[in-house]
Amino acid sequence: EEALRSALDEIAQLRQDAEDMLQAAKAESASLREASDARLRELEDLHQAAAVGGAGASKAAVAPLADVHSRGATSLEDDPECVEAHRIIDETNAMLAQLMSESQTATKKRKQEILKQIKTLEESAEFKDASRLIEDPVAERERRRLAKCAEAEGEARAGLKRGDVGAAEGAVEELAALGGEVPRELEDGLKALHDKRAQVEAQEAERAAGARALASAAGGSDREGLPRALA
């Protein structure tokens, strides 16, 4: 009887724990739902402001989300990189506006999906790169240059590790062309690879010459040279 009471108490405790966990999960779900609904309401307000205010208001309303189209760009309109950045921003803004419009009549489940899509668009590497370029072309170009320099240096080190003179040399040349500083260890490594390759080529040339001399002597055209060839 005592064991039965103990088992029943344990079952009751498990039920209570399960109920507590369920209530906590519901509270967390409600909190997340409120946060996402608030974000969607914010997006809807921005979209409505853009629709009411016309083109000027549209840029002002969408700017907190995405639009850096007009900031610092007038003198760079003919720059190919900036033209491409504007295209990416315009296309992203168009997709954001479409999603915000759809969210006004969407179900709660669909609104959750829309929120995820908006976040994906806003946080995409392509969109962020384009936005940075329009906001501050000088800083963004420098960031890209440094990234390319780091990539070229990595390829040079990998080439040296493999013993691939061509790949290492090409990467070092690219690093120098980008204005990057070529580390002394890369220069020393390249020199060592060149010296090693020259040594190997010299040995191969010497062996080839010896083989030709041996073949000539063995064929009878230079019997006096046969001992020298064998030596």
Side-chain angles (χ1 to χ4, degrees):
E1 185 177 348
E2 184 177 348
L4 178 60
R5 282 199 303 270
S6 177
L8 290 173
D9 290 343
E10 185 175 352
I11 292 172
Q13 184 61 47
L14 288 172
R15 284 179 177 173
Q16 184 60 48
D17 291 344
E19 181 65 25
D20 292 344
M21 291 175 65
L22 179 60
Q23 292 301 323
K26 286 181 178 179
E28 183 177 359
S29 176
S31 176
L32 290 173
R33 189 181 304 111
E34 288 176 4
S36 63
D37 287 346
R39 175 59 170 154
L40 285 171
R41 284 194 297 272
E42 178 187 352
L43 296 175
E44 289 168 2
D45 291 342
L46 288 172
H47 176 72
Q48 290 171 359
V52 171
S58 175
K59 284 189 176 183
V62 181
L65 290 176
D67 192 6
V68 291
H69 188 284
S70 61
R71 284 179 280 175
T74 54
S75 63
L76 299 169
E77 289 178 354
D78 296 330
D79 185 287
E81 286 186 339
C82 288
V83 170
E84 176 64 12
H86 281 306
R87 183 192 65 77
I88 292 170
I89 291 170
D90 287 341
E91 290 182 357
T92 304
N93 281 335
M95 288 186 283
L96 287 169
Q98 183 178 353
L99 288 169
M100 286 186 286
S101 178
E102 183 184 348
S103 71
Q104 294 182 38
T105 56
T107 63
K108 282 193 173 183
K109 181 178 180 181
R110 175 57 184 151
K111 283 185 178 181
Q112 295 292 331
E113 296 172 355
I114 289 173
L115 190 61
K116 289 180 181 179
Q117 288 177 278
I118 288 173
K119 185 176 181 181
T120 298
L121 286 171
E122 291 178 338
E123 295 183 356
S124 69
E126 184 181 46
F127 176 68
K128 286 184 175 181
D129 287 350
S131 300
R132 283 195 296 260
L133 183 64
I134 300 305
E135 287 178 330
D136 191 340
V138 175
E140 175 58 13
R141 285 196 171 101
E142 178 63 9
R143 186 193 70 82
R144 295 183 184 187
R145 185 188 72 83
L146 292 175
K148 289 179 180 178
C149 285
E151 183 179 355
E153 184 176 335
E155 290 176 358
R157 293 183 185 280
L160 287 176
K161 189 174 181 179
R162 296 193 308 270
D164 188 338
V165 178
E169 196 165 42
V172 166
E173 289 175 356
E174 181 181 359
L175 176 59
L178 288 166
E181 182 178 354
V182 180
R184 180 62 182 272
E185 59 188 287
L186 288 182
E187 294 178 343
D188 292 344
L190 263 181
K191 184 178 182 304
L193 276 182
H194 277 298
D195 291 345
K196 184 177 180 180
R197 185 168 67 176
Q199 183 180 7
V200 169
E201 289 174 352
Q203 290 173 346
E204 289 177 351
E206 185 178 351
R207 284 196 296 269
R212 287 195 299 271
L214 181 60
S216 177
S221 61
D222 187 13
R223 293 187 179 278
E224 292 181 357
L226 182 58
R228 290 195 302 271
L230 290 174

